[in-house]
Amino acid sequence: MSRGMHGTTMMIDPGLPTGAFTDVIDSHGRLVDLVKFGWGTALVTKDIDRKAAVLREAGIDFYFGGTLFEHAVWTDQLADYLALVERTGATHIEVSNGTIPLDQRSKADYVRRMSSHRPVLSEVGYKDADRSALLTPADWVEALREDLDAGAVMVITEARESGRSGIANSDGQMRADVLGAVLDALDPAIVMFEAPTKDLQVELIRTVGPHVNLGNIATHDVVGVETLRRGLRGDTLLSLTTGVAAARSLTHSK
Amino acid sequence: MSRGMHGTTMMIDPGLPTGAFTDVIDSHGRLVDLVKFGWGTALVTKDIDRKAAVLREAGIDFYFGGTLFEHAVWTDQLADYLALVERTGATHIEVSNGTIPLDQRSKADYVRRMSSHRPVLSEVGYKDADRSALLTPADWVEALREDLDAGAVMVITEARESGRSGIANSDGQMRADVLGAVLDALDPAIVMFEAPTKDLQVELIRTVGPHVNLGNIATHDVVGVETLRRGLRGDTLLSLTTGVAAARSLTHSK
Amino acid sequence: MSRGMHGTTMMIDPGLPTGAFTDVIDSHGRLVDLVKFGWGTALVTKDIDRKAAVLREAGIDFYFGGTLFEHAVWTDQLADYLALVERTGATHIEVSNGTIPLDQRSKADYVRRMSSHRPVLSEVGYKDADRSALLTPADWVEALREDLDAGAVMVITEARESGRSGIANSDGQMRADVLGAVLDALDPAIVMFEAPTKDLQVELIRTVGPHVNLGNIATHDVVGVETLRRGLRGDTLLSLTTGVAAARSLTHSK
């Protein structure tokens, strides 16, 4: 899915006006590998078909937020949901259980079923911070593995748009125990980490490397994330670039 | 004032460029019932007449922030303020005392006077968090009633653009005692709650219902608020939608 | 550098799409004196030459963030950096040592060298909050003076894009001791204070006056900052405007 040497960048659209959306894709589309139309915004966005066309023309994959899938399951409108996927040409389906009461095994069943329609991105973690905090590192790894076994092409670790639940603590810090367990168990090339804040982006790039797959990137952060991946921002400059041979020549001898 | 089944949504313009403003109204205008040109931004916005024309063409009501009214009173330029209202075709006037030393009874007098020019939206609460904290629930109700008696067509509870003063605490939480007293005393159809943060929006939609009137909605949150009202976001999905008859069928029996 | 009575406003571009950037300059360019293409964003922005042309046509000075200069020094690509300055017609060069290990005296040497290419804006302060906290008020003043002696046309106090390091504490408050020492020692007309948050903007306008030079102003805050300078927002209305002669006439006698 990645368009270059730098890992997948998934941009979330929270309902941008059509002109602004087109402008972002025109200017920064080559830095974007995937677009997610956040949660259920597609149903209240007048021009969702026009936005989809912009992405198809740019050759950028896209899908609808997991909450829209969950809403369809919960309200028994899965047929309508799949019709929307067909009509817009969405390239993927996200399966999740971040909000509705759907246990892990049932979610994996949906991964299997939805895979006959589109490649599935499957998410682990709850939107509620307290519920997510009860998941142990072993729970996370087991759920991610079960979704992969069920056919998901990539698994996503939840962090919402706030970066304050799922794999992040309620104070916005990454849960180091979960991250460590995930990296021990899985190839990071098939995991996408939601990382809507700069703190989370910097921590993941430093820990996993510049190729880490990052999700829920705000439309105004696409360029910023790319500079972080390339060591063009203070936070990663020293860790990602090699200083001049004689770095000490930069400083006067005392 | 509301354009649909979902209560009034008042969007605040903090000084968007003209192109971006037009784009928002083109894409999301049907989700917006009222636009407020925030505080005194109208006086430093080159194209305020063009923006006003965009709203008139879209049939959306609009007015200038209460701070501009207060600035006019404080600097004795009320005639200029009313000329601006006339020239732009603003549909409402906001009367407030959030900043200048204007006591409640004098404010109610201005509600009366301004009502001869335009329907008046009257605001209660101070921008200073400490001053607002001194207002008891009874003070809030009394002030809101006095403004309604003076002719205000709707009353607004202050929360600034930050959601950290007025009816909200300095930590961004709604003052439950004030909210409870207001809902006991008044029909929520004539109260608009400033709710610039998602936390406040969610709390109000859960407490008052999806029809609650919400103000100070950021231009980039118009779609998000609509999804909250319709149960299309995780925060309100379970409370606003009815799950499938056999919700338990979603989960495997153990 | 300032375009009016109100001190220099430096807007930071974090990588806006080209359409949005042009829209901001069209609508608000007359409120902007200087544009900084933040950190290394210029290298991942497709249309940097088009953006530069927009600013040249509008007659607005611009330059690249200090981190791009530091990256060039650190990776031994200073010739490429200067070629970019020439090609785009950037009007200034920022010299800083916020990230790389470059001591103050060596930085002052670069101020001298770069001054043969463009007028130099020199920055004092580190991006790392802990390192910055170790700088005493006397350290700040000495460094600012050394850069001015080396030929800088203006000196900048670091506060990042977050307003949480450099001259600001990690909790976002201005370091009053540093601000006081700077104002005692230097003419504020040749100092630019990075002030990306409203709290910092309000504090500086109240302390230094509406003519204070403010940097790192977000593209969506240009209008807001201008209203603060003119007393058109609640935060500065009472301190910057003179109330009506008989202010007490605003309130009823009890």
Side-chain angles (χ1 to χ4, degrees), chain A residues 15 18-20 39 46 74 106 109, chain B residues 23 26-28 227 244 250 252:
Chain A
T18 311
W39 62 102
K46 189 177 66 169
W74 181 243
S106 303
D109 282 346
Chain B
D23 191 26
D26 281 352
S27 285
H28 305 319
T227 60
V244 289
L250 291 174
H252 274 274

Side-chain angles (χ1 to χ4, degrees), chain C residues 15 44 46 96 109 112 117 135 142 178 191 205 215 221 235:
Chain C
V44 298
K46 189 177 67 169
S96 61
D109 282 346
R112 252 174 234 108
H117 299 278
L135 292 175
E142 189 185 335
V178 176
V191 182
I205 288 171
D221 275 340
D235 312 84

Side-chain angles (χ1 to χ4, degrees), chain B residues 14-20 39-41 43-46 67 71 73-76 99 101-103 105-106 109 160-161, chain C residues 23-24 26-28 30-31 198 223-224 226-227 230-235 237-238 241-244 247 250-252:
Chain B
L16 248 57
T18 311
W39 63 102
T41 56
L43 296 198
V44 298
T45 300
K46 190 176 66 169
T67 300
H71 181 268
V73 169
W74 180 242
T75 61
D76 202 15
T99 301
L102 181 72
D103 66 23
R105 211 187 311 166
S106 302
D109 282 347
R160 296 212 73 174
E161 300 77 40
Chain C
D23 190 26
V24 170
D26 281 352
S27 285
H28 305 319
R30 83 213 143 80
L31 306 177
K198 195 180 71 157
V223 167
E226 187 71 12
T227 59
R230 298 194 193 181
L232 287 166
R233 194 165 191 178
D235 312 84
L237 198 167
L238 294 183
T241 65
T242 306
V244 289
L250 291 174
T251 57
H252 274 276

Side-chain angles (χ1 to χ4, degrees), chain B residues 153-234:
Chain B
V153 296
M154 189 177 266
V155 282
I156 303 168
T157 58
E158 166 81 64
R160 296 212 73 174
E161 300 77 40
S162 60
R164 293 182 179 278
S165 74
I167 200 172
N169 289 324
S170 57
D171 66 353
Q173 300 295 305
M174 184 71 70
R175 283 183 61 185
D177 56 346
V178 177
L179 179 59
V182 170
L183 295 175
D184 281 348
L186 298 172
D187 178 355
I190 54 168
V191 182
M192 177 149 57
F193 299 91
E194 290 188 349
T197 66
K198 195 180 70 157
D199 283 350
L200 293 174
Q201 294 154 13
V202 169
E203 185 172 348
L204 284 160
I205 288 171
R206 285 184 181 161
T207 307
V208 187
H211 296 64
V212 63
N213 301 318
L214 297 174
N216 279 11
I217 302 304
T219 57
H220 52 265
D221 274 341
V222 167
V223 167
V225 164
E226 187 70 13
T227 60
L228 288 173
R229 290 187 190 274
R230 297 195 195 181
L232 286 166
R233 194 164 192 178

